[in-house]
Amino acid sequence: MTQNKYQKSCFFYLILLPAVLVMLWLTIYPVLNVFTLSFFKYNYLSDEKVFVGLGNYIKLLKENLFMEAFRNTLVFSVLATAGEVILGIALALLFYGHFRGKKSFMIIAIFPMMVSSMVICAVWKTLYHYDIGLINFLLRETGAQPVGWLIDQSKALFSVVIIDVWQWTPFAFIMMQAAMGSIPEEIFEAAQIDGASYMKTVFSITMPILSDQIMLLIMLRTIDTFKLFGKVYALTQGGPGNSTETLSYYIYREGFSYFNLGKASTASIFVLLVVAGISFIYIGKILKKD
Amino acid sequence: MSSITSSKKHPLFWVLLLIITVVTLFPIYWISVTSLKSPVEVISSRPTMLPQAPTLENYVSVVKSGFFRNMFNSLLVAVSATLLSLTLSTLASYALVRHNFPYRGNSLFLVWVLVVKILPPVVLAIPLYSVFIKMGLLNSRLGLIFVYQVYTLPYCIWMIFGFLKALPETFEEAAMIDGAGRFYILTRIVLPLARTGIIATSIFSVIAAWDEFLFALLFIRTPSLQTLPLVIVNYIGEYETLWGELMGIGLLTTLPVLFFSSYVYKYYTQGFSVSLK
């Protein structure tokens, strides 16, 4: 029997091993490596590698560009998440219940999240174009001033937010409408019999019941928007000025354009810490659920 | 709006529905019509809602410039990365579901998987770049298949772990009494039972890998090895106004994925799981 038990656990170790090895290779090793590098001044081109202790950390905290990247990432993440979650809930409320053509409408409604991100960047770049873009054309036709969507420092980040909201509101919508579908209709009927107004029903019944799912949705969107890289690379390259510089883009540029591997690693550790902070709640919630 | 549950809708409801449909579909419509316009019409300062002289010339040059080669790269990498992840994650999840590893190994492993899912991938890029150079995996599709495990493996483990956990143990116990081996039980009993979940996981994983941009950008140099997101970005950057061709590539890249829309909708609505991403 002990022999058998030994064999049994041996089997489980054996089948877990490949995944563990891949995770070690692709994630644990890189994180440890980044952590070590963050204490060095290390430029890949000049190949000089000097231990500077916390030097990189202090330098980064004092660096305007890094702080700007941090601020932009936060602004983007908060605005995009808020926009998507609020619109998603509003749409789920609006399209609650049955109506003709609901299924087709829902399938069309999720198209934006199915389209490849780079294709989305491409089409929005044409729509946003200052001289020959459709949006500015319509603005001019109606007598308004054209807007420098991606070339005006004060607007570029918000233009990227709009794209993200267009792309991911469907995700919030479909998640919220699935969650609302699981609430028994009798609850609403009972509230109506008691004479509760629509708004009152929404805020004192629907929202509290959905609070867990709304929290999860906010976490998922915050995590995802915090990674913002591809849209910035394709649309603005961090500009104009540094108005769309994000943390991911900053690390990419320090590491792969300037080859300051030490500094890029330090920035990576910063991001890791911030993300760990954000996701602490998320992980706690998920583990509790299991 | 007086009633939250009634199926009779106010006319305003249908107006809102129309507006939302238009906002949702317009960019996709714009991709389609722009791809059918001539290069001159595309850069006209008065954009036209319909192509005045519809032409397929954009598609011809897109195909001539090797679109299908790049599409093949995308498909090959996305499908292979998903198959690799599925294999690794099914094995690992089964072990995690049916065995208690010492030192709270199960929870530790799952938390690590979640952390990687949450982490911006650029954080891992610098060390992975040097590791992949040393192993000769840079600028190769095989390298891309491996590095995409950073996305697809945590995702697949998390999903498949959930599906396997929901399976009752009774079938496996019965098979064990009949003297079936562990591996037989896994492949012949557990996998068929978890089939729906595995299919769903693979679809979402293929879509994610199909869309990946960062590592493709860092790891692939040769144009003939590029995946579609890279081709699109090059167009955006280098050929500022070749919008017709750009939108042609865009539509061809989008169509295969849109095909899955109704599946994705069904999946979400049936509420298999909410932690999809």
Side-chain angles (χ1 to χ4, degrees):
Chain A
M1 193 62 198
T2 39
Q3 163 89 41
N4 198 0
K5 209 169 180 183
Y6 173 74
Q7 272 179 356
K8 191 183 143 196
S9 59
C10 209
F11 170 80
F12 286 123
Y13 278 96
L14 216 64
I15 61 174
L16 183 65
L17 191 66
V20 171
L21 287 180
V22 172
M23 292 291 283
L24 281 174
W25 173 40
L26 294 177
T27 66
I28 305 264
Y29 167 77
V31 168
L32 294 177
N33 192 280
V34 160
F35 185 69
T36 319
L37 275 180
S38 75
F39 300 109
F40 286 87
K41 183 175 183 331
Y42 178 30
N43 188 293
Y44 187 72
L45 289 185
S46 57
D47 209 28
E48 53 152 338
K49 195 171 176 181
V50 191
F51 182 79
V52 288
L54 289 173
N56 286 335
Y57 288 86
I58 295 162
K59 224 161 77 190
L60 266 191
L61 284 174
K62 286 185 187 154
E63 191 188 285
N64 282 335
L65 182 58
F66 180 72
M67 287 331 247
E68 217 168 321
F70 192 42
R71 198 190 55 113
N72 288 338
T73 309
L74 277 184
V75 169
F76 177 82
S77 191
V78 169
L79 287 183
T81 302
E84 287 152 23
V85 172
I86 292 169
L87 279 174
I89 293 174
L91 290 175
L93 285 171
L94 183 63
F95 297 110
Y96 179 78
H98 308 285
F99 58 87
R100 268 187 67 195
K102 178 165 182 179
K103 197 176 167 207
S104 319
F105 171 69
M106 289 302 298
I107 291 172
I108 289 172
I110 67 166
F111 274 6
M113 63 182 259
M114 304 296 295
V115 179
S116 194
S117 296
M118 282 304 148
V119 178
I120 290 176
C121 289
V123 68
W124 279 91
K125 185 139 189 174
T126 70
L127 291 170
Y128 275 153
H129 196 282
Y130 187 81
D131 295 314
I132 51 175
L134 181 70
I135 300 178
N136 276 354
F137 169 73
L138 294 175
L139 286 176
R140 283 195 195 94
E141 289 289 289
T142 54
Q145 286 295 314
V147 173
W149 296 101
L150 293 171
I151 53 174
D152 182 336
Q153 280 206 32
S154 63
K155 302 202 173 62
L157 191 64
F158 300 103
S159 305
V160 184
V161 169
I162 292 175
I163 300 177
D164 204 76
V165 170
W166 181 81
Q167 184 181 9
W168 289 110
T169 296
F171 176 76
F173 175 26
I174 194 170
M175 202 172 141
M176 284 298 108
Q177 90 100 39
M180 281 185 70
S182 62
I183 305 176
E185 284 190 17
E186 291 79 25
I187 294 182
F188 298 118
E189 279 155 18
Q192 259 161 16
I193 292 166
D194 290 347
S197 70
Y198 179 77
M199 285 322 248
K200 188 145 189 245
T201 317
V202 167
F203 283 104
S204 55
I205 297 178
T206 320
M207 291 299 123
I209 295 179
L210 295 183
S211 64
D212 269 1
Q213 277 103 329
I214 295 175
M215 267 308 292
L216 180 66
L217 176 63
I218 293 175
M219 290 307 310
L220 286 175
R221 290 314 304 150
T222 310
I223 290 164
D224 192 51
T225 48
F226 208 80
K227 297 177 181 172
L228 178 66
F229 174 78
K231 291 192 181 71
V232 168
Y233 184 94
L235 294 168
T236 60
Q237 307 262 313
N242 297 313
S243 59
T244 57
E245 183 87 15
T246 64
L247 288 172
S248 288
Y249 198 72
Y250 178 93
I251 296 171
Y252 161 78
R253 214 164 35 184
E254 280 298 327
F256 291 92
S257 301
Y258 307 147
F259 303 104
N260 286 324
L261 302 192
K263 208 166 147 203
S265 300
T266 313
S268 301
I269 294 295
F270 262 118
V271 171
L272 200 123
L273 292 176
V274 172
V275 167
I278 297 177
S279 47
F280 194 68
I281 324 164
Y282 173 62
I283 291 180
K285 254 200 150 69
I286 289 210
L287 287 184
K288 216 167 67 190
K289 201 178 71 187
D290 284 324
Chain B
M1 291 286 242
S2 64
S3 164
I4 197 167
T5 53
S6 93
S7 48
K8 266 237 171 81
K9 299 290 182 186
H10 195 272
L12 195 65
F13 171 88
W14 298 105
V15 174
L16 279 169
L17 185 134
L18 186 71
I19 293 174
I20 288 157
T21 311
V22 168
V23 171
T24 301
L25 284 183
F26 188 78
I28 298 165
Y29 167 78
W30 200 240
I31 295 172
S32 318
V33 290
T34 310
S35 73
L36 296 173
K37 291 178 182 175
S38 71
V40 181
E41 194 181 344
V42 163
I43 55 167
S44 138
S45 59
R46 296 189 64 84
T48 43
M49 281 299 156
L50 281 171
Q52 282 168 337
T55 162
L56 287 175
E57 62 176 299
N58 294 317
Y59 288 95
V60 173
S61 34
V62 161
V63 170
K64 270 194 190 145
S65 72
F67 172 82
F68 285 109
R69 187 189 54 206
N70 297 110
M71 188 179 204
F72 172 75
N73 293 338
S74 273
L75 201 66
L76 177 76
V77 172
V79 171
S80 313
T82 298
L83 286 177
L84 180 59
S85 281
L86 277 181
T87 313
L88 296 176
S89 61
T90 310
L91 292 173
S93 308
Y94 187 62
L96 292 168
V97 167
R98 293 285 181 255
H99 190 71
N100 268 322
F101 290 94
Y103 307 110
R104 309 188 64 204
N106 301 49
S107 315
L108 276 179
F109 187 73
L110 285 171
V111 167
W112 181 246
V113 163
L114 257 186
V115 169
V116 174
K117 235 175 85 181
I118 291 166
L119 209 62
V122 73
V123 166
L124 307 171
I126 293 169
L128 284 179
Y129 188 84
S130 32
V131 172
F132 275 58
I133 285 189
K134 281 183 203 134
M135 299 180 74
L137 286 170
L138 218 63
N139 203 21
S140 92
R141 285 169 294 201
L142 185 64
L144 223 46
I145 292 167
F146 282 131
V147 85
Y148 281 4
Q149 300 306 309
V150 167
Y151 303 86
T152 53
L153 186 57
Y155 173 75
C156 290
I157 290 177
W158 194 254
M159 294 282 287
I160 291 180
F161 175 76
F163 291 120
L164 293 190
K165 224 179 124 196
L167 292 182
E169 224 176 326
T170 45
F171 298 106
E172 294 164 54
E173 281 161 0
M176 210 132 44
I177 291 167
D178 292 345
R182 276 278 161 190
F183 195 73
Y184 180 90
I185 293 175
L186 176 59
T187 49
R188 297 296 164 82
I189 296 171
V190 176
L191 288 189
L193 284 173
R195 199 182 55 218
T196 343
I198 291 174
I199 292 172
T201 309
S202 47
I203 288 177
F204 283 98
S205 164
V206 167
I207 293 176
W210 179 263
D211 206 26
E212 204 285 335
F213 172 65
L214 175 70
F215 283 112
L217 172 74
L218 296 177
F219 283 22
I220 300 292
R221 291 275 166 270
T222 317
S224 65
L225 295 177
Q226 287 179 337
T227 54
L228 291 174
L230 275 181
V231 177
I232 295 169
V233 159
N234 289 343
Y235 259 97
I236 298 179
E238 284 168 41
Y239 315 104
E240 180 82 38
T241 46
L242 277 184
W243 290 352
E245 289 182 32
L246 178 57
M247 295 301 123
I249 296 181
L251 196 68
L252 292 175
T253 308
T254 303
L255 286 180
V257 187
L258 280 190
F259 184 72
F260 288 115
S261 286
S262 70
Y263 180 87
V264 169
Y265 169 69
K266 203 176 93 195
Y267 180 84
Y268 275 82
T269 313
Q270 288 178 351
F272 276 115
S273 159
V274 272
S275 47
L276 276 169
K277 294 198 60 200

